[in-house]
Each structure stands twice: as structure tokens, then as C-alpha cells.
Amino acid sequence: LLDRRLLFVTGKGGVGKTTVASAIALYAAEHGRRTLLCEVDAKGDVGAYFESGPTAFAAREVLPSLWLMSMDTEASLREYLRLNLRIPVVGRIGPLAKAFDFVATAAPGVREILTVGKFCYEVRERHYDLVVVDAAATGHIVGQLSAPKAINDLVNLGLIRSQTDWILHILSDPVTTGLLIVTTPEEMPVNETIDLASRVRDETSVDLASVVVNRVLPELFGRGEEEVFARLGEPAASAELEKLVQGDPSAVLEAARLAVTLRRTRAAHLERLRRGIDPDVPLLYLPFLFTRLHGRRTIRQLSQALGEELGY
Amino acid sequence: MADRRGYRRRDREGSLDGLLATKEIVVACGPGGVGKTTTAAAAATMAATRLGGKVLVLTVDPARRLANALGLEGIGNQERRVPTAAFVDAGVRPSGELWAAMLDTKQSWDALIQQHAPDARTRDEILSNPLYRNVSGRFVQSHDYIAMERLFEIHEHGNYDLIVVDTPPTRNALDFLDAPDRMADFFSSRLLRWLIVPYRSRFVNFASKPFYQIADRILGTQFLEDIAQFFILFQSMYRGFVERARAVQRLMADRRSSFVVVSTLEAVPLREAEFFAQALIDRKLHLGAIVLNKVLPDYLLDPNGFAVAEQFRDRADELAPVMARALDDADVDQIRRVLVEVGQSYLDYRVVAQREAEQRSELATVPDELVTVPYFETDIYDLSGLLRLGDRLWNHS
């Protein structure tokens, strides 16, 4: 997975897409790969996770080998113009950027291609060993990844047309580029993941590298133990327990019941996910974190879990 | 579950019934993945059951099982009544009617064009324009706009006493609030007119020449012409669109409309929800309530529970043999493992519950109603599930 050079990380809102993207980037960086982590929907979460202040279009090294940036299509356009057209006058960009906003709003794909194009550019120029993109959510990722193709169909001539060719080449090479879908073992995220996996196959040329199942709850009991647990909850046994520990055990037993039910409900969705995804696509499991804090500590723990899961 | 065991729930003071009884439009909004759709459906179900009248839930992307339960499978934009039989099966007799509709962006856009196009030719040209097809199908913000637009249309017909709307998952919570504004700006802009001038007059003045040269080189002449063509067509509907967008905005700000921000107590969604609540206030929109979903039960914070769990985990070796005898010589090892697991599990979940409690106490923006909904162990996918959830949204006193 980490041998690829461009990873798009997507997922339904609320499943931990940004956290997982950050964990992957941290893991790669700590294993010596010069890694760029980019947030596409600039909400500032990535900066908050690494506790490194706000991110900007210009990449910044926040840890050894780890750079953060956030996507800004206007800045991307400016960079593009500077690199491709050699337009030196910044003043002219003003109205142009405003006009661009229109065109981009009306012509779908323009904004997306500036986003995707920037990542492909970083990959082509080998500025980094790995580019991890905290990409659009499941609803929009196909539009983003298929934009170069859509533009290719709409535009016959012009610079953009000639640009889409090499972008498409990078995107469709499975050795270079991969998509990760992050999900949780819950109903809607699993539905969306299954739908998205088939849409990615049908509508884009990007390879689905893996499905990451986040927040997997621990299994409490082994074989036969659930029966023992049930018996502990019976009135006589409960009374005995209460005497032994000198406290009412019902809250603790109730919590365990909740944990078992939650785990079981989720196991059914996990099973559905396994059946719904192409068996060639590896599933990675990350545990639910019972932690006090967010931020670096969470990313650290997830990145360790990821390392174990990848078998390094 | 918690109440059965006699633990006091953190708060029962907040409820949505007052809001649902007095408003005509209730918009459920907030970050993705927090149960917006289910909350909106549950609120509408309760309103139809308890308050009566005609209630519509306008939903964007319900889970398949829930869509099935509401009879929404594959019907697109049409409003459908949820059959009374379904309520009876769930054990209640509703005093009103529950209707449901799903939002089909493409269909809604087409309807909008049909309504605003000045003539049949323009209409057909727009509907077949490749850019339009792309815009209506994919243009991200178009979901946001169309949801509000459709709400406006339904409200205008006056068929319902209450409309509960579930908002589309947005990249940014503010997108859908600003969508009507942006749509109006988009069509009334001078820049837009400026952009399409050369394609009307074939005359490019000196000042704008560099722009076209650059645009030509980037996009190619043909594409630029396609875009201009698209805008020229759309311009014919400009007045209609702008007026409409303004009207949608007025409706949102009307006192008959209210917003309910839904969130969980996880840090990231909650931060987004707070930001959103503040944005509503800044825009002088009515923040009716905050619903905190999937909140872990209170008994996890019980100090006695904590002490018991620690003993389960730390004294398992000593407790297991005694309990084995009490359970007719059950396997001591198994009991020990179960005690350790049960104790540890309580302590683990307690950490999360504490984190949630802290997040909750730090909420900066607190509206009149703050409603807490517990974690349901199983998924909500039918009417009785919605009623169960709805019950938590309702005032019990």
C-alpha cells in the first residue's frame, strides 16, 4: 500500500477519514518516506491533529519528512499559470481569478482538475515519495477523480486538454496511484462504501487499493464465556458479586451488555461489507480508540495500529 | 435501558415538541454521519403521531432500510403518504398524516428550468446543453441550492402543516445556507455579463483582451464558447432565478422556520456543529435546538460503577473461585477472564463517556433546547425504531 506514490483517502462524513489519512501519512513519514499530506476540504482538521497551526497551500514541514498543505484552487490556478504560461504579472490574476471562479462553478471539472492536477504534478516532479490526499467525501470523490476524463471529453483543444493526458496517465497507473475508502462497521457507511467501490470501478480509472474499517470494537468474550457472563447477571449471582465487591455491579454488567450488543450489530455490517467488496481488495481494520484525547496521540495510536495491520 | 436500572438521565429538560408544534419548517442540519436523516424522520414521525395534521419529511439520502420503511424506495421527487397500517404495526395510531419525499437533484433542476425558461426552444436547448447536464448532475453546490428551492416550492403549495427537512451532506456546513445567495450573485454578476460579451458582439475591447487570450490558451476556444452559450441561455432566466433565490432566503429567515443542529459528542463533529450554530445566529436565522445524538449512557459515569469495575479487573483471581462455587462449579478460568473483560470494558467506555460529558459541558452556543439522545444499541430502520428515537426527542413531563 505504502509503495504507491499517490493515495486518495475518502469516506462518508464522520467515519474518521481525516484521522486515517493523517495516520497513514505519519506512518509513512516515520518510515523514512518524504510525505505530503494534503487536506482538500480545508476545514483545518489536519493542522489541528498535528497541533501545528493552520495549513496553507504552500506545504510546510511539521515533522521530519512530513509536510502538510491544504488545497486552494485559486492558488493552484495561480501556480499553474506561473508554471505553464509564464504570466508574471500578479495584478492581472485578480480579475482572472474572479472570472475563473465563475467558469469553475459552471463548468464542473475545472476546479477538480486543478485539485487533482496539483497532486499529480507533485508526483510527477518527485517532490515527495508519497502524497496522501485527505480527499472529498464519498459523495464527491467520483466527480473529483473522473474530472480529468470529463474535461477530456468536453474540451477538444487548448492547454487543459494537453494537461489531462499526463494526469490521466498518473491516475490510472495502479502502481503509482490508489484510492482508500475509510468506513466504520455501521449501516450507512457500509452501504456507501459498497456503492462507491463499484462506482470507482465503473466510472474512474483509479485503482481501489484498500478499504479501511475504522473504529472496530473489541470482542469481549470468547467461546462459552458469553454464557458465563449471562449467568453472572442472574439475581443470585449478582447478589453474590455485590457482596464480594461491596458495590452494586449492575452498571458494570449493563455496560458489558451494551458493549456486546454494539459489537454484534456492527459485526453484521462488517460481514455485509466483506460480501459486498471485491475479494481482491484488502480490508484493513483499525480499532476503536478508548482514549481521552484527540490530536497527536490519536494519530500516533492509529498509525501504530496501521503498522501492525500492514504487517510491518 | 438506563432508566430501567434507576440511573438518572443527564437531561430530560430539552425536547423538540414545542418547536414542532409551532413552526412550519424545521431544518435538520449539522455535520455528516451524526444521524441527521434519522433524527429528521423521527421528529416528523412524532409530530404526525402526537400533534396531528399533515407532516412531511423531506429527506436527502436515507439508508435503504429506512427508505423502505417509509415507502420511499425508487420514487424520487414524489411525495408519498406513509400508510397508517405501518403505524398500527408499530403499535400506535397516528392522529395525523405522515408524508415522505426524497430529493432528486436532477429532477428538481429540470423542473426549475421548465418553470423559468421563457420559451420552449430555450428550455430544450438548456436541457440538452452538455454543460447543463454536468451542472445539474454533479455541481456540488447545486444539491444545497436545490434542497432549499424544493422546500420553498412545497411550502408555497401549502399542503402541509409542518415540513421537516434533512439537509444534504455538505463539504462545508455553510454551503447550503449561502447557496441561494450564491445562486443569485452568480446570475446577477457583472462579471458574467462581461464574460459573454465577445460571444454576443464579437467585439473584444482592449481592456478585456488579455483575459480572453489567457482563457483561450487554457481552456480552448470551443470550450469557452460552450460556456458562453450556456450562460447566454441561462441569462434569459436570470430574473426568475434571482427572485426565486431571494424568496427562498426570506423563507429561511421567516419566523415560521427553525433550524435544529444535530451532532454527536465527538470532538470533530461537535466543533463543526458549534461553528454552524454560530453561523445561524450570525445570519439571524432561528436556532431552535441542538440535538446531541448517540450519547453514551449515564451509568458509565457512576462512581460506584467505577469502583466495582476496578475490582472486577484487579481482583479477578480472588473473585473467580468464589463465583465459580456460586455458579455450581463453573470454570474458574472462564469466570476470571469474563470478570477482567467486563471490568476493563466498563473502564474503557467510561473514558469515552467522560470525554463526551466534558465536550458537552464546554458547548459554547446553547439554544433554548438542548436534547440528548442515547446510543441505541441496534440500528434504527423502521417505524417502531423511529418512534423509539422520537420518544427521546419528546417532552415526557
Side-chain angles (χ1 to χ4, degrees):
Chain A
L1 180 72
L2 297 179
D3 292 334
R4 303 196 198 214
R5 310 207 25 239
L6 177 57
L7 289 176
F8 289 92
V9 182
T10 183
K12 181 177 159 54
V15 299
K17 169 173 73 75
T18 304
T19 326
V20 170
S22 305
I24 291 169
L26 179 64
Y27 187 84
E30 291 194 332
H31 286 74
R33 306 201 59 200
R34 295 162 50 83
T35 305
L36 172 69
L37 171 62
C38 176
E39 187 175 29
V40 169
D41 300 339
K43 285 183 188 164
D45 293 341
V46 164
Y49 281 138
F50 286 97
E51 296 166 35
S52 60
T55 50
F57 185 72
R60 196 157 53 86
E61 192 172 11
V62 295
L63 288 170
S65 292
L66 180 64
W67 282 261
L68 300 188
M69 69 167 278
S70 53
M71 180 45 69
D72 170 348
T73 37
E74 208 179 297
S76 180
L77 175 70
R78 216 171 287 141
E79 182 179 85
Y80 171 84
L81 292 178
R82 188 171 50 77
L83 290 168
N84 289 284
L85 299 174
R86 306 191 197 295
I87 300 173
V89 192
V90 182
R92 284 211 187 129
I93 302 289
L96 180 66
K98 244 179 138 184
F100 157 76
D101 220 38
F102 271 144
V103 177
T105 308
V110 171
R111 202 179 288 280
E112 282 83 356
I113 204 165
L114 281 165
T115 302
V116 173
K118 162 77 176 169
F119 303 132
C120 290
Y121 168 75
E122 296 295 342
V123 167
R124 189 184 64 175
E125 300 299 311
R126 299 192 169 270
H127 292 150
Y128 304 94
D129 299 323
L130 173 67
V131 178
V132 179
V133 183
D134 175 15
T138 39
H140 309 310
I141 185 75
V142 169
Q144 201 164 75
L145 293 179
S146 61
K149 177 94 179 57
I151 289 270
N152 228 351
D153 296 343
L154 279 173
V155 186
N156 298 320
L157 279 166
L159 246 173
I160 280 208
R161 172 65 194 241
S162 68
Q163 297 288 314
T164 51
D165 286 340
W166 68 264
I167 292 179
L168 276 172
H169 183 74
I170 287 181
L171 285 183
S172 51
D173 177 11
V175 177
T176 307
T177 305
L179 173 71
L180 269 91
I181 308 177
V182 181
T183 187
T184 51
E186 294 170 290
E187 175 164 29
M188 283 298 277
V190 164
N191 290 351
E192 281 196 15
T193 302
I194 294 172
D195 287 350
L196 179 62
S198 70
R199 285 192 64 198
V200 166
R201 198 181 47 227
D202 298 342
E203 296 171 39
T204 78
S205 55
V206 180
D207 181 53
L208 178 56
S210 174
V211 171
V212 181
V213 189
N214 195 17
R215 300 197 195 130
V216 176
L217 292 171
E219 180 81 90
L220 247 56
F221 303 126
R223 196 182 292 268
E225 288 174 8
E226 200 154 335
E227 195 201 334
V228 172
F229 170 65
R231 292 179 65 194
L232 284 177
E234 286 164 11
S238 256
E240 182 71 23
L241 266 176
E242 181 160 358
K243 221 164 53 192
L244 282 171
V245 298
Q246 292 176 0
D248 181 2
S250 56
V252 179
L253 295 174
E254 192 69 57
R257 251 170 242 133
L258 175 66
V260 168
T261 321
L262 285 178
R263 159 90 195 180
R264 193 172 300 144
T265 309
R266 288 170 171 226
H269 293 305
L270 208 50
E271 189 46 42
R272 218 156 42 79
L273 177 69
R274 287 197 197 98
R275 280 199 312 272
I277 296 286
D278 191 329
D280 296 339
V281 176
L283 294 177
L284 298 171
Y285 302 95
L286 296 176
F288 185 95
L289 296 178
F290 295 97
T291 50
R292 273 184 300 145
L293 305 162
H294 293 271
R296 259 189 209 185
R297 175 80 184 126
T298 316
I299 306 295
R300 157 81 48 214
Q301 282 178 313
L302 268 192
S303 116
Q304 275 163 356
L306 184 77
E308 283 164 25
E309 191 64 15
L310 289 171
Y312 290 109
Chain B
M1 173 186 63
D3 314 288
R4 202 176 66 214
R5 303 245 149 206
Y7 297 101
R8 237 168 50 80
R9 192 144 280 293
R10 222 166 318 191
D11 62 343
R12 282 304 329 154
E13 72 269 22
S15 67
L16 291 184
D17 48 347
L19 209 60
L20 295 168
T22 52
K23 300 291 177 186
E24 287 178 23
I25 292 175
V26 172
V27 183
C29 47
V34 297
K36 253 186 318 219
T37 306
T38 326
T39 303
T45 306
M46 285 310 278
T49 313
R50 303 258 179 110
L51 297 173
K54 272 182 87 176
V55 180
L56 174 76
V57 55
L58 177 61
T59 182
V60 179
D61 187 21
R64 238 164 278 145
R65 287 193 291 174
L66 185 62
N68 271 331
L70 295 174
L72 284 173
E73 196 74 349
I75 63 155
N77 258 342
Q78 265 174 303
E79 298 143 46
R80 282 277 174 88
R81 182 167 174 193
V82 180
T84 310
F87 281 91
V88 174
D89 286 348
V92 294
R93 186 158 283 281
S95 52
E97 298 175 11
L98 177 63
W99 291 67
M102 227 149 80
L103 184 75
D104 183 315
T105 313
K106 174 91 182 102
Q107 253 184 46
S108 303
W109 265 110
D110 289 356
L112 202 60
I113 299 296
Q114 271 161 9
Q115 186 182 339
H116 289 302
D119 53 65
R121 203 173 131 253
T122 313
R123 181 195 67 207
D124 294 343
E125 272 184 325
I126 291 177
L127 292 179
S128 62
N129 183 299
L131 278 172
Y132 166 73
R133 290 212 302 271
N134 254 317
V135 168
S136 55
R138 282 207 216 132
F139 172 23
V140 174
Q141 268 109 30
S142 78
H143 294 284
D144 305 326
Y145 177 68
I146 216 71
M148 294 301 108
E149 157 66 34
R150 180 115 162 84
L151 169 65
F152 178 80
E153 195 200 329
I154 294 173
H155 183 259
E156 214 178 22
H157 286 152
N159 284 332
Y160 300 96
D161 297 293
L162 170 68
I163 306 170
V164 182
V165 199
D166 158 36
T167 51
T170 46
R171 290 172 174 227
N172 181 323
L174 296 179
D175 279 352
F176 95 87
L177 285 184
D178 295 338
D181 229 359
R182 200 166 323 132
M183 200 53 74
D185 282 354
F186 188 69
F187 286 106
S188 59
S189 163
R190 284 176 55 208
L191 248 168
L192 174 56
R193 268 167 269 163
W194 186 61
L195 181 71
I196 62 182
V197 161
Y199 299 94
R200 274 188 170 157
S201 66
R202 303 253 157 232
F203 170 75
V204 182
N205 69 27
F206 180 75
S208 57
K209 206 170 176 191
F211 168 74
Y212 289 106
Q213 280 178 342
I214 294 167
D216 253 18
R217 283 178 68 188
I218 300 171
L219 297 165
T221 312
Q222 180 57 47
F223 189 45
L224 213 54
E225 267 175 34
D226 280 350
I227 292 173
Q229 180 62 27
F230 171 71
F231 279 134
I232 289 168
L233 287 169
F234 249 68
Q235 277 251 303
S236 64
M237 305 189 302
Y238 140 75
R239 196 177 298 280
F241 257 90
V242 173
E243 275 170 16
R244 185 80 165 186
R246 295 280 173 239
V248 170
Q249 211 160 30
R250 275 197 303 276
L251 178 63
M252 294 292 98
D254 195 284
R255 57 189 305 164
R256 291 169 297 175
S257 304
S258 183
F259 291 78
V260 171
V261 176
V262 185
S263 181
T264 61
L265 281 170
E266 282 171 84
V268 176
L270 192 62
R271 202 170 60 217
E272 211 174 310
E274 279 196 277
F275 177 66
F276 197 89
Q278 192 53 50
L280 288 170
I281 293 168
D282 292 347
R283 284 167 176 70
K284 300 194 166 49
L285 298 171
H286 185 256
L287 172 61
I290 292 183
V291 173
L292 298 172
N293 234 336
K294 302 184 191 173
V295 176
L296 283 173
D298 251 7
Y299 58 73
L300 290 166
L301 298 171
D302 183 29
N304 163 64
F306 176 63
V308 171
E310 278 200 315
Q311 293 194 60
F312 274 21
R313 187 192 56 188
D314 302 336
R315 290 176 58 206
D317 285 342
E318 170 198 337
L319 298 175
V322 185
M323 286 314 294
R325 278 194 297 281
L327 293 178
D328 308 325
D329 288 321
D331 187 307
V332 176
D333 268 355
Q334 273 192 340
I335 294 183
R336 189 173 42 76
R337 273 199 303 273
V338 168
L339 286 174
V340 171
E341 281 293 334
V342 168
Q344 187 57 50
S345 177
Y346 182 92
L347 297 171
D348 283 346
Y349 275 93
R350 184 171 187 273
V351 171
V352 180
Q354 273 179 323
R355 186 175 76 196
E356 285 186 349
E358 193 182 306
Q359 295 277 5
R360 189 176 172 289
S361 68
E362 283 174 359
L363 259 184
T365 315
V366 181
D368 294 344
E369 301 290 353
L370 184 65
V371 187
T372 309
V373 179
Y375 216 128
F376 287 99
E377 311 93 286
T378 49
D379 301 324
I380 289 165
Y381 54 85
D382 58 9
L383 217 48
S384 51
L386 289 179
L387 287 164
R388 206 152 48 97
L389 171 62
D391 214 39
R392 312 300 320 207
L393 301 170
W394 215 257
N395 186 9
H396 286 262
S397 57

